[in-house]
Amino acid sequence: ADDVNKIVSHLPRTVQSMLMSATLNANVDELKKLILHSPVVVKVDRGSQDGRLAQWFCTVKRADKNLLLFALLRLKLVSGKTLFFVNSVHRAYSIKLLLEQFHIKSAVLNAELPLNSRLHILKQFNAGVFDYLIATDEAMSAAQ
């Protein structure tokens, strides 16, 4: 706890913070109170738990990104419910259009969408309407 307090003391007054946890126990709740103000809690429905959760990070040349993404999906190296984080709304919709060309269902989640739309997209994702969710925290107006 002292380490976290020390880190928090060095943060600027205005900072965007995100806390992600698979469980919300007392320690996480205490941390949430320390670093988050007016937090929004998003809960994802539990699916089958087979212990095969994977996290990937790939540094790729810009020109090769679409090819790599397509290869990972077509070769089924990435399967099941998948969340892609991208750095812009433009990139999110570019990926969605690429996937649509190959009849791969997906959705984009970003800060510009109204709350009801974002909740509806999450419900569809949890219901299996699509397996690929492309997310960014960038707002379109900030990108323009």
Side-chain angles (χ1 to χ4, degrees), residues 11 36 43 90 105 107 109 112 126 141:
L11 292 174
L36 301 178
K43 293 183 180 181
H90 179 268
K105 292 181 180 179
L109 196 61
E112 284 289 312
N126 288 331
S141 57

Side-chain angles (χ1 to χ4, degrees), residues 1 18 24 26-27 36-37 44 48 54-55 60 62 67 71-73 79 81 83 87 89 100 106-107 115 139 143:
M18 289 187 223
L24 293 177
N27 292 337
L36 301 178
H37 307 284
V44 178
S48 62
Q55 177 178 316
V60 181
R62 177 169 282 180
L67 177 61
L72 289 170
L73 295 176
S79 63
K81 293 205 177 296
L83 179 58
N87 63 359
V89 174
E100 282 179 359
S106 65
L115 178 60

Side-chain angles (χ1 to χ4, degrees), residues 86-125:
V86 296
N87 63 359
S88 72
V89 174
H90 179 268
R91 181 71 181 135
Y93 283 105
S94 294
I95 291 172
K96 179 170 176 41
L97 291 173
L98 171 75
L99 297 179
E100 282 179 359
Q101 289 177 344
F102 297 100
H103 308 287
I104 300 172
K105 292 181 180 179
S106 65
V108 171
L109 196 61
N110 69 65
E112 284 289 312
L113 294 171
L115 178 60
N116 286 341
S117 296
R118 287 181 273 167
L119 292 173
H120 180 71
I121 289 168
L122 288 172
K123 284 180 185 175
Q124 287 182 314
F125 182 66

Side-chain angles (χ1 to χ4, degrees), residues 11-60:
L11 292 174
R13 286 190 61 104
T14 304
V15 64
Q16 180 176 1
S17 301
M18 289 187 223
L19 175 64
M20 297 181 197
S21 176
T23 59
L24 293 177
N25 60 29
N27 292 337
V28 173
D29 197 45
E30 194 174 313
L31 182 60
K32 181 175 76 171
K33 289 176 185 172
L34 178 67
I35 62 172
L36 301 178
H37 307 284
S38 303
V40 174
V41 177
V42 176
K43 293 183 180 181
V44 178
D45 291 343
R46 288 182 166 208
S48 62
Q49 297 176 344
D50 57 11
R52 295 187 308 149
L53 177 65
Q55 177 178 316
W56 295 49
F57 176 84
C58 300
T59 303
V60 181

